[in-house]
Amino acid sequence: MIRSVVRGFGAALPKRVMTNREMEDVVDTSDEWIVQRTGIRQRYIAGDGETTSSLGEQAARAALDKAGLTSADIDLIICATSTPDNTFPATAVNIQNRLGMHHGFAFDVQAVCTGFVYAVTTADAYIRGGLAKRALVIGAETFSRILDWNDRTTCVLFGDGAGAIVLEAAEGEGTTADRGILTAHLRSDGSHKEKLFVDGGPSTTGTVGKLRMEGREVFKYAVGMITDVIQAAFDSTGTTAEDLDWLVPHQANRRIIDGSAKKLHIAPEKVVITVDLHGNTSAASIPLALATAAGDGRIKKGDLVMLEAMGGGFTWGAMLLRW
């Protein structure tokens, strides 16, 4: 059977680092409060000339270099983002053009913080269906541009950045020993919209809008939803937490990550944490964490890796793959 195998990975971050101490000059907050409630110590903020597509392009080029490939080898680009350069065209098309790629096809996926899991699952379906041999999957965000910088409950949480992976079709035996994507489980429930949303859009207000969140409500649902899809991934493959080498979660809140891992009996030393460095970068969160852990040698070829995320909508999902 065909498996979608990770060939390369890459990341890109804006030049500006904004620490919690700097946040204290913007809103009524403190470094101690932010760290205690979220685990975040700093985040990156996009400056002039830094856009979702420019960050996505940098991450894509890094992933292609790691894979030993060029854009000529890619058939498909999917960009997961909630902060596109334009209402249209898709940011993926902008990235395609930046890469000098004039063949194949490109489009965006919008599932907020779960976007990267949705995008990789979609690319996997195209690869297994024979419509693409190699896909570039990108998570890229400039969330700082949809934040209300007077709202201390949200502006301290988010940051900007991009991450990318290259997926390639390979033959597998159909067992969990195969390299590549083994299973994915996606969910959504629109009845939770008001708990995490942006209060604008082309067909409603004609404006971009700002992010709004009921933090306690999101936290209340997060651990249960996350553990649901992770357990589904274990059940569908006959694996357990003991078999897992790494959990790479969406980096939203350290307490949510720790709570989910504890509930599933996943050892803390198996969990990749980058929320302290990047804050919540939405769809860029998981690929940034992947690039960090694979780049420093923690994630190695043959490792069993679980990806999971939850985002506005609500959307949530998990994916199990062998690196």
Side-chain angles (χ1 to χ4, degrees):
M1 67 180 296
I2 299 297
R3 296 286 197 192
S4 301
V5 176
V6 177
R7 276 285 304 272
F9 56 87
L13 292 162
K15 295 181 180 67
R16 182 189 175 194
V17 177
M18 188 175 192
T19 65
N20 289 348
R21 294 296 182 192
E22 291 177 79
M23 273 289 180
E24 295 174 359
D25 297 329
V26 177
V27 289
D28 182 15
T29 190
S30 70
D31 174 62
E32 291 77 16
W33 187 91
I34 298 170
V35 172
Q36 181 184 19
R37 299 296 183 93
T38 70
I40 297 168
R41 297 184 181 276
Q42 63 175 44
R43 73 286 296 144
Y44 289 77
I45 303 296
D48 292 343
E50 292 178 319
T51 64
T52 298
S53 64
S54 73
L55 292 169
E57 177 199 0
Q58 291 176 50
R61 289 188 183 278
L64 288 168
D65 287 347
K66 193 73 176 177
L69 301 169
T70 72
S71 61
D73 301 307
I74 301 298
D75 309 303
L76 164 65
I77 298 175
I78 304 178
C79 180
T81 187
S82 296
T83 51
D85 288 14
N86 305 98
T87 300
F88 70 83
T91 298
V93 175
N94 290 343
I95 294 171
Q96 178 190 32
N97 184 53
R98 283 173 168 271
L99 293 173
M101 177 178 162
H102 305 291
H103 65 278
F105 59 116
F107 59 90
D108 288 355
V109 165
Q110 210 283 50
V112 200
C113 300
T114 322
F116 188 74
V117 178
Y118 271 57
V120 176
T121 303
T122 304
D124 178 50
Y126 277 106
I127 289 172
R128 288 187 292 106
L131 293 175
K133 183 179 179 182
R134 295 189 188 95
L136 187 55
V137 186
I138 303 159
E141 302 282 15
T142 47
F143 251 59
S144 64
R145 291 179 176 145
I146 58 169
L147 297 178
D148 179 351
W149 286 92
N150 295 310
D151 180 3
R152 65 176 185 171
T153 66
T154 57
C155 72
V156 302
L157 303 177
F158 295 90
D160 304 330
I165 62 171
V166 175
L167 290 176
E168 182 178 69
E171 289 189 4
E173 298 296 326
T175 71
T176 56
D178 290 347
R179 288 187 66 207
I181 296 168
L182 303 177
T183 190
H185 300 266
L186 307 179
R187 308 272 194 272
S188 66
D189 184 348
S191 67
H192 298 287
K193 175 196 167 184
E194 299 300 322
K195 298 179 179 69
L196 179 54
F197 70 108
V198 168
D199 62 1
S203 76
T204 52
T205 65
T207 63
V208 174
K210 299 297 183 184
L211 184 145
R212 307 298 176 195
M213 182 173 71
E214 298 175 12
R216 290 183 180 178
E217 286 295 301
V218 175
F219 189 92
K220 184 171 76 175
Y221 284 93
V223 173
M225 289 178 166
I226 290 165
T227 54
D228 163 58
V229 284
I230 291 177
Q231 191 58 55
F234 283 141
D235 292 345
S236 68
T237 54
T239 57
T240 68
E242 290 185 1
D243 300 313
L244 199 64
D245 291 298
W246 296 103
L247 171 66
V248 183
H250 167 50
Q251 307 287 320
N253 184 301
R254 180 65 187 260
R255 292 195 297 170
I256 293 173
I257 295 170
D258 290 346
S260 302
K262 184 176 181 180
K263 189 172 179 180
L264 288 158
H265 306 292
I266 298 172
E269 59 269 21
K270 293 183 176 182
V271 183
V272 174
I273 302 289
T274 59
V275 69
D276 56 325
L277 302 174
H278 304 146
N280 182 346
T281 55
S282 191
S285 165
I286 289 175
L288 276 171
L290 274 175
T292 299
D296 65 22
R298 276 178 288 171
I299 296 178
K300 300 180 291 296
K301 182 178 178 180
D303 281 355
L304 191 62
V305 180
M306 181 78 74
L307 314 181
E308 63 82 358
M310 174 193 169
F314 288 143
T315 63
W316 64 105
M319 168 177 289
L320 190 65
L321 61 92
R322 191 167 295 280
W323 197 254

